[in-house]
Amino acid sequence: MTQFDRRHFLGSGLFAAAAATIITPERALAGASPAGWSLAVADVDADVPEETLQLVHGKVPANCDVTLYRNGPAKFRRGTGTSGHWFDGDGLVRKFRVGDGKAHLTARFVDTPKRRLETKLDAIVQPGFGSSRRDGAVVNGPDDTNAANTSVLMSGGQLLALWEGGSPAIVDPETLETKGFKTFRRDLKQMPFLAHPRVEADGTVWNLGGNGKGTFVWKLNPDGSLGKAEMLDVGRASYFHDFTATARHLIIVLQPWVQEGFKFPLSTAMAWKPELGTRILVIDKDDLSKKRTYELPAFSFFHLADGWEESDGTIRFDGCLEENPTFGQIAASALLRGEHIKSPSPMLTQIVLHPDGKADMKTTRISAEFPATDRRRAGQARRFTTHVAGYRQTPFPHAIAIWDWKTGRDDKFDFGSHQLVEEFLFVPTGSGERDGWLMGTTLNLKERKTELHLIDAGRVSEGPLATWRASLPLPLTFHGTIA
């Protein structure tokens, strides 16, 4: 391990890890084409007060008592300016509460310095993953550009809104009021904290914070207190939005999309170098100096699912792998202009790391994103992966499915071309891996409304058990958590 120097770590290019990423009817979508899907990246102009959702289909299970929190960018335009990338919009945390046969929605922007400054100026000025620094920008530290827009984590009773290049923001789980940024220790203020932490069954949280060839390793105890904070030299300045873990190891996938300097927009400081291949590090959780390295052909990715280790030491995990990072480089920026630039479809693929140092990949040939699993089984062997699917003539999916790694089959429900499907999460109701519900949201383009759905995880193809509809459309989110 390298010696930890916070000032050097922050100053050398913290933002290399930065990423993520109501329409008012009378407001035009600036710069957008008339494509129906552009509603997915429309602006929300204010917080959404609590409302009771309309039950439009099915019947609510009697024992359904669950809260779904979701986070995603929802403000991209101010004055005559527009964010340069989907990943750079202001984070809007949404709370869907189901209980007593009813569903409720409320949503509130995370109150960040970035949002306060740009609101005051009525202009997009702060730099980001795909946005340039503009006149009026104030950047004295990572959290000045923190959009808090990618995911949410419940840890030690606190709800944290996550970005990548800076601190988690503390959000009240009841009111969604922002309580400021989380500092785990005084000397760790503004250290990067990825938006994809790995949570063990007992509530222990592992996370990374990337910056060039070094990454910060976080361990939070089940009560939310800091358990570990160490620097780790990973040897390559790869962009990684996600990582995974087994019960014993952290797994860092270093794609050949690498940082070659530091400038804004951050995406322009990274180069795709497929000749380097993809490198995978397996690191002992108890001793970060113990690591193994695996080599695979070049691929790009945003999202991985939980991993596990077999009795002979073989490690398996899956992810949604792409041929190259076209989506992150240019296609996600084009969305804000109403343009659909086709990019390689992410394919659900299992990666196998053998004890002898060899590695291989087993693709399903299923176009998929946002892999999710039963979180009670984190680090344990599993059979199923939930994912979105049904990419057709829009940049967004239209279906939800569960892939069975044993049978090689997808149990899928297609919502239709008028529905844009977001990540669905597993809500357990029994001990089996598919004993539960899938809970998630869609954007109904025909009705111009956001919808909440509850699906029997054992019978996905039968469609929703219950569907609720909001009074308004909300732009698409990235990730969420169940409470």
Side-chain angles (χ1 to χ4, degrees), residues 18 26 47 54 69 76 78 95 119 122 125 153 212 222 239 249 255 299 315 328 344 349 353 377 391:
E26 66 276 8
D47 295 340
Q54 177 189 6
Y69 296 98
F76 307 97
R78 294 184 186 278
K95 176 183 178 182
T119 298
D122 191 28
V125 299
L153 167 70
Y239 170 73
H249 295 97
Q255 61 182 314
F299 62 80
I315 291 174
T349 304
L353 307 178
R377 288 177 164 76
Y391 290 86

Side-chain angles (χ1 to χ4, degrees), residues 92-388:
L92 179 74
V93 175
R94 306 103 194 270
K95 176 183 178 182
F96 295 89
R97 177 82 176 91
V98 178
D100 298 324
K102 296 182 179 180
H104 303 271
L105 163 67
T106 187
R108 196 164 182 174
F109 280 100
V110 186
D111 183 23
T112 63
K114 171 188 182 296
R115 178 169 171 79
R116 291 195 295 272
L117 175 64
E118 293 182 335
T119 298
K120 178 181 177 180
L121 298 176
D122 191 28
I124 301 295
V125 299
Q126 294 294 81
F129 187 79
S131 299
S132 299
R133 180 171 180 159
R134 300 170 185 171
D135 290 343
V138 176
V139 185
N140 295 315
D143 286 339
D144 287 334
T145 63
N146 192 334
N149 67 0
T150 311
S151 190
V152 280
L153 167 70
M154 189 68 77
S155 177
Q158 285 188 324
L159 183 66
L160 304 177
L162 308 180
W163 188 51
E164 290 195 340
S167 309
I170 304 170
V171 176
D172 187 289
E174 293 299 322
T175 66
L176 301 186
E177 178 186 1
T178 304
K179 301 293 187 179
F181 288 122
K182 177 80 171 181
T183 299
F184 294 99
R185 199 171 68 201
R186 186 174 181 179
D187 63 318
L188 302 177
K189 188 176 182 179
Q190 298 197 59
M191 291 297 293
F193 192 88
L194 286 188
H196 284 281
R198 293 291 156 182
V199 184
E200 296 180 351
D202 68 352
T204 298
V205 175
W206 290 88
N207 204 6
L208 304 179
N211 185 47
K213 294 183 179 180
T215 188
F216 206 69
V217 178
W218 299 92
K219 179 185 179 183
L220 306 184
N221 298 317
D223 64 359
S225 62
L226 182 65
K228 178 182 291 190
E230 297 184 28
M231 267 292 295
L232 177 69
D233 183 356
V234 296
R236 178 192 286 182
S238 293
Y239 170 73
F240 51 89
H241 173 75
D242 197 359
F243 74 106
T244 190
T246 69
R248 297 173 50 207
H249 295 97
L250 305 177
I251 301 170
I252 303 177
V253 181
L254 301 172
Q255 61 182 314
W257 192 17
V258 296
Q259 179 188 359
E260 292 191 313
F262 180 72
K263 61 180 179 179
F264 292 113
L266 294 167
S267 58
T268 65
M270 296 185 293
W272 176 243
K273 296 187 172 184
E275 67 275 11
L276 297 178
T278 294
R279 181 174 299 160
I280 300 177
L281 301 183
V282 177
I283 300 155
D284 192 305
K285 287 180 176 179
D286 293 329
D287 183 350
L288 301 185
S289 67
K290 294 181 179 179
K291 56 187 176 183
R292 290 175 284 158
T293 302
Y294 293 82
E295 302 287 344
L296 280 170
F299 62 80
S300 185
F301 77 101
F302 279 102
H303 301 116
L304 305 173
D306 286 325
W308 71 91
E309 191 165 352
E310 297 174 349
S311 59
D312 66 353
T314 299
I315 291 174
R316 297 179 185 270
F317 64 96
D318 48 289
C320 299
L321 313 185
E322 306 173 24
E323 294 178 10
N324 57 60
T326 297
F327 181 79
Q329 287 176 316
I330 60 173
S333 293
L335 296 177
L336 299 184
R337 303 189 298 271
E339 300 174 13
H340 178 197
I341 295 177
K342 291 188 177 181
S343 56
S345 296
M347 296 290 175
L348 184 61
T349 304
Q350 186 176 89
I351 295 176
V352 185
L353 307 178
H354 300 282
D356 63 3
K358 295 180 180 180
D360 57 62
M361 299 185 291
K362 299 180 179 180
T363 181
T364 64
R365 301 191 181 279
I366 296 292
S367 182
E369 251 296 5
F370 300 127
T373 61
D374 180 352
R375 295 184 179 183
R376 297 172 302 173
R377 288 177 164 76
Q380 301 178 28
R382 58 180 169 80
R383 177 175 168 178
F384 302 102
T385 300
T386 300
H387 63 92
V388 299

Side-chain angles (χ1 to χ4, degrees), residues 21-76:
T21 206
I22 348 177
I23 186 169
T24 48
E26 66 276 8
R27 178 167 180 162
L29 180 58
S33 74
W37 58 259
S38 62
L39 196 61
V41 291
D43 280 329
V44 174
D45 290 327
D47 295 340
V48 180
E50 183 173 341
E51 66 172 68
T52 301
L53 303 184
Q54 177 189 6
L55 181 65
V56 296
H57 168 77
K59 183 179 180 181
V60 187
N63 59 337
C64 186
D65 185 3
V66 62
T67 300
L68 169 66
Y69 296 98
R70 293 199 59 75
N71 193 5
K75 183 65 176 177
F76 307 97

Side-chain angles (χ1 to χ4, degrees), residues 460-482:
V460 176
S461 62
E462 296 180 6
L465 296 170
T467 294
W468 296 267
R469 184 173 294 158
S471 64
L472 74 172
L474 294 172
L476 296 187
T477 52
F478 294 136
H479 303 289
T481 192
I482 294 291

